[in-house]
């Protein structure tokens, strides 16, 4: 399915452009369709699922007809669709809902992960270990069992036939400086290698500890870059900060993330050498941990 979030953002841009072309403020447009300025603003900023009747009213007062009318209504319908993640509500966590939504309609995903392993690749034991770490830091805003269930469904959906291509760059520092049980981490690294070996559209690169001089500034956090089948949907960059995810689609805002991603990619190990290092790290972790008590 097409990502509802991507379609909401696309709809907001379309409606804003139409409104501004008529020289109207959000307050003026809201008054013309008997709605508040805030409702128009939230619709244009992709903060709410669109009400088709409201969109039709906007197009009517702006005198939009024919193919353009049909085009925007189709976008609005797609923007209002429900995804599998909606069954979980807030139980799966806001961050995971965001990624599940955008992944659902993407053509390609490129990700740099400096710390934990990406959710798409995590084993159940690794997921539970991260939940315990989060609980130790304070109250959590999701239901652990539902989060694990949703993440497994997210992985299954991602690996469906015809799903997006996925390239992830894992930082060697994050792989060596882990916070879960060594046996869990070792099994997780082996699992990543197994997935890459059977999934042609999945590739993993490792950004090594030692690179020498790199071409530009390094990413300071996890970044994920999405492209979509519809060329009219812009490239999206998501910057995963500690407490919030920042979504960018304006070309001038996306460009720095593309540059930093390419900097990391150009300095990363080849796919073959990355898989070899994953196996070596997994074995090293097991050897250092020693036999289970």
């Amino acid at each position: 399915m097409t990502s509802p979030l991507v379609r909401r953002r696309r709809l907001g841009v379309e409606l804003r452009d139409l409104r501004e072309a008529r020289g109207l403020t959000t307050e003026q447009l809201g008054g013309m369709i008997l709605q508040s300025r805030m409702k128009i603003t939230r619709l244009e900023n992709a903060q709410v699922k669109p009400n088709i009747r409201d969109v039709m009213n906007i197009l009517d007062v702006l005198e939009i007809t024919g193919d353009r009318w049909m085009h925007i209504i189709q976008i609005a319908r797609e923007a209002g669709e429900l995804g599998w993640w909606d069954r979980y509500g807030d139980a799966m966590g806001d961050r995971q809902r965001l990624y599940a939504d955008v992944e659902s309609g993407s053509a390609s995903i490129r990700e740099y992960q400096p710390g934990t392993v990406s959710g798409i690749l995590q084993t159940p034991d690794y997921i539970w270990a991260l939940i315990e770490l989060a609980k130790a830091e304070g109250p959590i805003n999701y239901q652990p069992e539902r989060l694990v269930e949703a993440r497994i469904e997210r992985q299954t959906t991602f690996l469906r036939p015809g799903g997006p291509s996925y390239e992830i760059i894992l930082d060697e520092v994050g792989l060596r400086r882990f916070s879960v049980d060594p046996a869990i981490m070792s099994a997780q690294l082996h699992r990543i290698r197994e997935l890459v070996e059977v999934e042609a559209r999945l590739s993993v690169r490792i950004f090594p500890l030692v690179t020498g001089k790199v071409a530009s500034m390094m990413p300071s956090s996890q970044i994920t870059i999405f492209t979509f089948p519809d060329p009219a949907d812009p490239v999206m960059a998501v910057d995963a900060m500690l407490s919030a995810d920042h979504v960018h689609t304006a070309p001038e805002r996306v460009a720095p993330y593309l540059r930093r991603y390419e900097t990391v990619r150009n300095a990363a190990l080849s796919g073959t050498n990355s898989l070899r290092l994953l196996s070596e790290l997994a074995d090293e972790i097991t050897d250092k941990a020693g036999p289970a008590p």
Side-chain angles (χ1 to χ4, degrees), residues 211-233:
T211 64
K213 184 178 183 295
V214 293
S216 69
M217 293 179 64
M218 293 293 303
S220 58
S221 59
Q222 174 190 336
I223 58 172
T224 311
I225 300 166
F226 299 90
T227 65
F228 305 96
D230 187 342
D233 289 327

Side-chain angles (χ1 to χ4, degrees), residues 8-9 17 40 51-52 56 98 111 118 160 176 200-201 205 209 254-255 273 289:
R8 288 200 302 274
R9 295 178 72 90
D17 288 347
I40 301 299
N51 179 294
I52 295 295
M56 288 180 175
L98 168 67
E111 180 178 330
S118 170
R160 71 194 185 280
R176 291 184 177 277
R201 53 195 172 84
R205 307 276 298 273
L209 289 171
V254 171
N273 288 338

